[in-house]
Amino acid sequence: MSEHRRKPPQPQGGGRAAARRGHSAGRRAAPRGAHGSPADSCGSTSYGSGSYGPGGEARPYGGRAAARRAAQKSGGRRRAAGPGGPNRSRGRGRAAPPGRKRFIDYPRSGKYGWQRWMPSWKLVAGLFVGIVGSLVAVAGLGYATVQVPDVAKTAQAQNNVYYWSDGSEMVRTGGEINRQILNISDIPKDMQNAVISQENKTFWDDSGVDLKGIARALVNMARGGQTQGGSTITQQYVKNAMLNDQSQTISRKFKEIFVAIKVGTKVPKRDIMAGYLNTSYYGRGAYGIQAASRAYFNKDAKDLNAGECAFLAAMLKGATYYDPAGATSIDPGATPEANEKRAFAQMQDTLDKMVEYGYLSSTERAKYTTLPKWQNPRSNTQLSGQIGYLVDLAKAYIINNTHITADELQQGGYQIHTTFDKKKVEELEKSVKEIRQENIKPDERPETDTHVQFGGASVDPKTGAIVAIYGGEDATKHFTNNADATGAQVGSTFKPFVLAAAMRDGVRNPHLGPTQGPEERTPVSVKSRYSGKNLLKIKNYDGTVWTNEKGEEWLQRNDGNESIGEPPDFMVDLREAMRQSVNSAFVQLGMDVGLDKVKQAALDAGLLKSSLTGTTYPSFSIGISDPSAIRMAAAYATFAASGKQNDPYSVEKVVNQDGTVYTHESKPKQAFTAAVADNVTDVLKTVVDKGTGTNARLPGRQVAGKTGTTDGNKSAWFVGYTPQLSTAISMFRLDDDANNKQRTFLEMYGTGGQEKIHGASFPAEIWHDYMEQALKGEPAVPFPTPQPIGKVINGEPSPTPTPSASTSPSPSPSVTPSPSATETSPSPTPTESHCGFFGCPDDGGQTGDNEGNGGADGGFPTPTPTESDTDGQGNSRGNGNGGWFGGRD
């Protein structure tokens, strides 16, 4: 303990302060400067808290701090020199005593305040030398231990093994390496120059290592971000050559750097170029320039021209987004059209740079202003039939939902346990083939029966597991998976989402603003009535007439231009409107609820936002969107599961040599209350029992479902379910066989020998045949009994007859009984009389434009065209089938 903190003996008199002063005076009696005097110790003049000098005289300093400063000025900082002198440090932060020399003088002795913590130049210089020396030693060791890669051993991979849901093996694939090593003399100069111009213009002169790029990659990895590849051709070659170690770690990146440095100093540039082009992945399972040349152009690499070389250089950027064939199974944005645009832009940029750097003449460059004629991809024969579609679906799920990258998956070595039920897949394919062979005859009816395609998907409502799909005739011949993405509009199969929104969110109060909370809305009962009038003038929820951006009023047509319901007002309840698929009733219902609520109901059921189109147009309610068959089956499965929504999935588990790397975990969400979902199901049961979907009835089982047909008869759907299984079937004509052309949907009038293809025809028949076999041996399970929900909107003024018990649609409409005691109708206002909550239907108004500008089911046009012969997404021009809102179900 410091002296100034010692407790002196208690004085006998005069108090504690007097004793302290006396004690201090006695100790300071020795003259200043005497050997061993306390005055030579730093801070000795500040002794205790008194202000007295030697001999007890009062000091002129004004307290301890002033005394310390005065002592420092008079040499108080000096340490005692003689032996035995006091050598104690007064207070905190003082210098270390002499005689104790430290190897690293930090904090610095003899310094005070901030200077004490400021390292000396010697210390800084020493640390710098030490760090640099260590790095040089580590670099030297790393350089000495790594080996130059052997090209012959690169791009080796294992198979991936895919399993059916019962554990039996489906196929071994994904690890084949389509590769043939070429000498640099067999690789066109144009190919070499293309990659140099686009990737590394200083290739022939640089050291092979981009230090800035390495630093960026290391910093990014240290922060936990995505890793970055090498930025020079040498570094990319080294990365390709290290396929046996694809771990994304800093240690692996350092190893890659050392290998690149060694390759840059030991391997000739020509060999590096050949190695890079022979080991790079160009997509379509092709490793190396020779395999890529065959995969895209069916020719040897030595025969490639400058345009084809620039095209293949674009594939090195990532074939998922540049292969014109598209890769929508991996990313919905990688459509053939989008990929074609990206590939063309990249190819043209590469050619321009080749001219800029002197590798290509302007005259030669002018020959290549379009994409070269590429061939469609050819698949492994093991992937024929439906297997290729199943593998693509599982691969896409893994890439999009796990940490396993596309490159890692391509390397193989994974055991992939899928959700696919072998029996159900075979039954679905068999059902489609039988209907096709019996009815689709392109040789007899080439004008109507060519380009006919089907898609289908089947989902377990309890889990979301995809148990079966039908992607097309053959994965090695037809490359788009029709179960996953087609662009075909779903038509009236969208109407259940409108009904669900009306029951859950309710219609808006016509006297309030457009944004209304739940307390201001009125949930509807299925006994609510809407006008089934053909050429109905569509109104906003507040009774004002809806107009387009030009201020024009439009009318909604029904299927066959027929009004449904009893004249003169043609009011029909929602169950009957769904049974007969009345467009006008559901378009107006969607307006009253709000299209934002309809959209949200569709999303909550499981549809993807990217598939929803024209969400601000009233015809949105009748199916101008284009969800996939998988998503439609999964969305209807939400109703089958009493409102519990599961995202569809295709992979249960992924295992590699290190063990299980992924296991699926279901995360169901309650999208709708059981009351809402079960009421939707009950209405859809009526469609199958007595409505447009009677072809889908299964003896002894309860079935719910909905038909859908779009304007121009360009697609037809049936989506239905039992409590155990939900299945969607689509049919359309799509001309996507021509190389480098946009996909064009064709009309189906006369297809299969029928005047028009409805969802009730071939799609419902396929659904029936498949489901009958898929559920064979399983017990018949009834749907839950629905609880009454909502209030009756536009209620009937008096009781009316019950619906007909006919098993097929009746030419005359049927209506439901009067509301029950629990479903009361709002009292009509004086101006509404017997017309109900939203007033009487308007018999007047402008007729359709009769130019066929209808959307799906004759709905509104969509703002962005997606077909070369349409003015909206699937909105045909000039077919004369029914006005701005024309069309049929």
Side-chain angles (χ1 to χ4, degrees), residues 107 148 150 231 259 271 475 482 539 618 650 673 698 746 805 836:
V148 173
D150 183 354
S231 56
V259 174
D271 293 345
N482 290 344
K539 296 182 179 181
S650 56
T673 65
L698 297 174
L746 307 174

Side-chain angles (χ1 to χ4, degrees), residues 328-329 386 389 392-393 432 436 451-457 469-475 478-488 626-631 717 728-734 736 743 745:
T328 51
S329 62
Q386 300 304 304
Y389 302 123
D392 285 347
L393 197 61
V432 174
R436 174 185 286 277
H451 307 298
V452 175
Q453 297 185 30
F454 295 90
I469 64 168
Y470 179 83
E473 291 184 74
D474 190 323
H478 173 77
F479 308 107
T480 300
N481 185 346
N482 290 344
D484 195 31
T486 62
D626 56 2
S628 67
I630 290 173
R631 284 288 168 174
W717 289 72
I729 302 294
S730 65
M731 177 181 177
F732 49 91
R733 291 182 67 211
L734 178 60
D736 62 352
R743 293 147 56 91
F745 285 89

